[in-house]
Amino acid sequence: MDLGMLLAETSGYVLPNEKELQWSVLIVLYPYLTGLVAGAFILASLVRVFNSKPVAPVYRLALLTALAFLICAPMPLIGHLGHPERAFQIMATPHLSSAMAMFGFVYAWYLMAVLLLEIYFDYRKEMVAWAQSSRGLKRLLYTVLTLGVMDTSEKAVRFDDRAGRFITIIGIPSAALLHGYVGFIFGSVKGNPWWSSVLMPLIFLLSAIVSGIAAVLVIYMAINWYRRQPHDMKCLNAIGRYLMFALIFDLSLEALDVVHRMYEAGEWFEILGLLGSGYLYYTIFGIQFFLGGIFPLVNLALAQFLKASDATRQRVYFFSGLLVLIGVLCMRWNVVIGGQLFSKSLQGLTTYRLELVGGEGALVAIGVLFLPLAILFVLAKILPPWKAHEEARA
Amino acid sequence: MAPQVPRLILAFATLVVGFLAFRSQVVPDSFGETGFYRADSVKEIGDLPMKHAGEETCATCHSDFAEATSHVLGGVACESCHGPSLAHAEDGASSKPNRLGGDVPCARCHEEIAGRPSVIPQIVLEEHTGGEPCQSCHTVHEP
């Protein structure tokens, strides 16, 4: 951007290298996408590990959602850094003392050792059946996906089940690690008072759980409408309840963070106050806290306790889910963009203008945000997540 | 052993071997010899053609300027204003550096910026110059 324009938009003392933000909207999406992965996975593990029967109908959908978003998670990073041909270098020559350089390994672990394995074990028996009942390319595809293990004896299937469970148990700390790691990246920047906080990984993790549950809820309802299937109200009620509890934890932790900062009131307090009451006012208090936090929380609680009709509940769940998703997106925005808006001198503020077109513009961001849904669509075509349940119900 | 296990081990082993093979191709030979970078790069950078002559070289012919300028004594090299001039220093007649003329680069260093080190005296352009070019009050080599 033109330097003159930027100068006109800064106020107070801003060091020359701070006028233009380095981390753009794409870096806002990165923690958002990984958060959805971790959250969706944790919802799935409620079924597998904690035996939450009512949520079972969305178990597979949650896994596929996590996979679809995980596939897209590195895209904002690569889009932001440019040079995709060099992106692999951080894995080829890993620098163990750099948290950012460890991303490739955290990612690969989660993708390979957790998600793919769990999906493999969960679907193998059906993939064998699909392979046997089809021919041509389709047969080949499913055979490759089973890795050629066509054994569906009781013993083999029992192994699938036990291994799947074991992977999920490993998966929970991995999901916590994946997203805690993202929070750690910000929380460990000690020169930046907006980020530097040990609560950061926890806050990221909880908001990830919140957003992941909301995403699966919204996607599940949308798919049911699209396929003209009735909603499983037991399942919706259970997810709604989980969403409510997760929101309570998330909001109280965020409130704790705010109170902690206000009590600590370091030398940065004034400038952060200006930021919160200025540029970030609407996205923090309007959307993150109110529209995406308190408001859906109250609605969910009312729907739980007032014995509302199914139709009302469905509406409440759907819109609360959407609002929560928007709220968490704003939370990422407030963290990533907010952390770069004030000068290290603590004496000035700059601004960020989201461009529409361009490599890091709004259009690209929207593309990256919705691409996982397209991938999920394809995944659901290959590995239909609802078959087993509908057959069981019929 | 369940039949899945050997296949999975095979699949992961293929991935790991593939990764290691790929890695052996993309990691440069001299990587890590002297630190977390390609040791050869030092030599490559050393082999780049030189562009600057350095102010001692300028002074061998332009001794008059070298003595006159308080800027130079204050640590501002000739070439930070005139630009890289090695070609000129090697053969003064055939290649001329930028003479600059009216196009004086003073504001590049002297314009006030909060983050600029205070050893460089700084001015607020609009207030200081009154719209006139710097040379109308300062001489360039001995401001």
Side-chain angles (χ1 to χ4, degrees):
Chain A
M1 209 193 288
D2 174 25
L3 187 68
M5 242 162 85
L6 280 171
L7 274 174
E9 286 173 0
T10 58
S11 55
Y13 290 101
V14 176
L15 304 181
N17 57 339
E18 294 170 337
K19 277 176 198 143
E20 204 170 350
L21 268 61
Q22 302 302 317
W23 287 358
S24 67
V25 65
L26 287 185
I27 303 300
V28 174
L29 290 187
Y30 161 63
Y32 189 57
L33 294 181
T34 50
L36 290 172
V37 177
F41 183 83
I42 285 177
L43 182 63
S45 62
L46 286 175
V47 181
R48 196 82 199 225
V49 180
F50 301 107
N51 254 329
S52 170
K53 286 263 155 45
V55 193
V58 297
Y59 168 66
R60 289 183 158 181
L61 179 66
L63 281 186
L64 294 189
T65 307
L67 180 61
F69 280 97
L70 190 68
I71 290 174
C72 295
M75 281 179 195
L77 295 183
I78 293 175
H80 169 73
L81 293 171
H83 293 289
E85 78 283 2
R86 280 196 231 146
F88 200 74
Q89 293 286 351
I90 62 163
M91 294 184 75
T93 54
H95 203 300
L96 300 179
S97 66
S98 156
M100 281 192 194
M102 292 315 288
F103 172 73
F105 293 96
V106 175
Y107 181 82
W109 167 262
Y110 199 71
L111 177 71
M112 303 284 182
V114 176
L115 265 184
L116 288 185
L117 271 186
E118 178 154 355
I119 291 175
Y120 173 80
F121 285 125
D122 192 58
Y123 273 98
R124 197 186 62 85
K125 185 176 156 209
E126 271 137 303
M127 290 194 295
V128 172
W130 293 331
Q132 279 160 354
S133 66
S134 51
R135 50 186 67 258
L137 268 181
K138 220 169 148 196
R139 187 188 188 110
L140 184 71
L141 173 72
Y142 285 122
T143 314
V144 170
L145 287 181
T146 59
L147 297 177
V149 185
M150 307 301 261
D151 182 351
T152 52
S153 66
E154 202 187 319
K155 195 173 142 242
V157 173
R158 211 175 46 237
F159 179 80
D160 281 339
D161 196 50
R162 281 221 309 275
R165 203 187 172 87
F166 176 69
I167 298 287
T168 320
I169 294 177
I170 297 183
I172 297 173
S174 303
L177 212 78
L178 173 74
H179 209 64
Y181 157 86
V182 177
F184 179 89
I185 294 263
F186 290 97
S188 61
V189 180
K190 55 177 171 281
N192 188 321
W194 189 251
W195 290 338
S196 168
S197 155
V198 275
L199 281 178
M200 211 51 142
L202 278 179
I203 291 178
F204 264 65
L205 190 58
L206 272 165
S207 56
I209 294 175
V210 167
S211 68
I213 295 178
V216 174
L217 178 68
V218 168
I219 292 174
Y220 174 65
M221 295 185 79
I223 288 179
N224 280 342
W225 279 318
Y226 174 74
R227 298 179 60 233
R228 297 181 197 288
Q229 292 284 327
H231 298 301
D232 182 333
M233 275 319 285
K234 263 210 200 114
C235 173
L236 286 190
N237 285 335
I239 304 182
R241 217 162 34 241
Y242 285 132
L243 182 58
M244 183 179 81
F245 287 130
L247 258 180
I248 293 177
F249 280 119
D250 179 36
L251 286 177
S252 28
L253 208 62
E254 279 175 32
L256 177 63
D257 185 47
V258 172
V259 171
H260 180 241
R261 282 162 194 268
M262 282 167 67
Y263 186 77
E264 197 179 347
E267 68 280 13
W268 33 261
F269 189 61
E270 210 173 332
I271 191 78
L272 296 193
L274 283 175
L275 193 60
S277 59
Y279 188 92
L280 292 181
Y281 185 71
Y282 292 106
T283 47
I284 290 188
F285 296 103
I287 307 183
Q288 180 185 339
F289 277 127
F290 185 71
L291 272 185
I294 307 283
F295 184 66
L297 178 62
V298 170
N299 276 313
L300 285 170
L302 287 181
Q304 291 290 333
F305 297 120
L306 285 190
K307 308 242 176 302
S309 72
D310 280 359
T312 319
R313 282 179 184 220
Q314 286 174 12
R315 258 171 247 139
V316 168
Y317 292 149
F318 189 74
F319 287 107
S320 301
L322 275 185
L323 285 178
V324 164
L325 282 173
I326 297 172
V328 174
L329 181 59
C330 274
M331 180 264 181
R332 310 297 192 227
W333 171 280
N334 294 334
V335 170
V336 176
I337 301 295
Q340 304 171 78
L341 288 178
F342 59 93
S343 167
K344 183 127 202 248
S345 67
L346 305 179
Q347 302 281 319
L349 294 168
T350 180
T351 43
Y352 175 61
R353 267 227 211 125
L354 182 56
E355 292 162 358
L356 188 63
V357 282
E360 300 195 39
L363 291 179
V364 172
I366 291 173
V368 172
L369 200 56
F370 286 95
L371 184 64
L373 295 182
I375 295 181
L376 180 62
F377 185 80
V378 176
L379 284 177
K381 280 253 145 41
I382 302 176
L383 304 170
W386 39 77
K387 273 222 172 110
H389 274 279
E390 277 161 17
E391 276 158 19
R393 206 163 36 186
Chain B
M1 190 165 41
Q4 295 95 320
V5 177
R7 287 295 163 86
L8 282 171
I9 291 179
L10 188 69
F12 274 85
T14 318
L15 279 176
V16 171
V17 171
F19 173 75
L20 291 178
F22 181 77
R23 183 177 186 276
S24 70
Q25 291 305 305
V26 295
V27 176
D29 287 339
S30 64
F31 183 86
E33 273 170 22
T34 43
F36 201 79
Y37 55 88
R38 211 161 40 84
D40 286 350
S41 66
V42 178
K43 194 176 156 292
E44 274 165 35
I45 293 167
D47 289 346
L48 291 175
M50 292 217 286
K51 296 204 170 119
H52 289 83
E55 63 208 76
E56 293 88 4
T57 320
C58 311
T60 54
C61 298
H62 297 285
S63 53
D64 45 342
F65 283 99
E67 271 154 30
T69 138
S70 57
H71 252 137
V72 174
L73 296 177
V76 182
C78 315
E79 285 165 299
S80 53
C81 289
H82 288 288
S85 314
L86 182 66
H88 163 72
E90 280 168 353
D91 180 2
S94 70
S95 164
K96 292 276 165 69
N98 190 349
R99 192 177 187 284
L100 293 169
D103 184 18
V104 278
C106 318
R108 202 201 286 159
C109 298
H110 286 294
E111 188 183 4
E112 178 164 285
I113 294 180
R116 179 164 273 166
S118 57
V119 288
I120 305 175
Q122 291 162 50
I123 53 163
V124 178
L125 276 186
E126 297 85 46
E127 290 170 13
H128 185 83
T129 63
E132 289 180 60
C134 312
Q135 300 107 301
S136 57
C137 302
H138 297 279
T139 53
V140 290
H141 292 118
E142 214 152 3

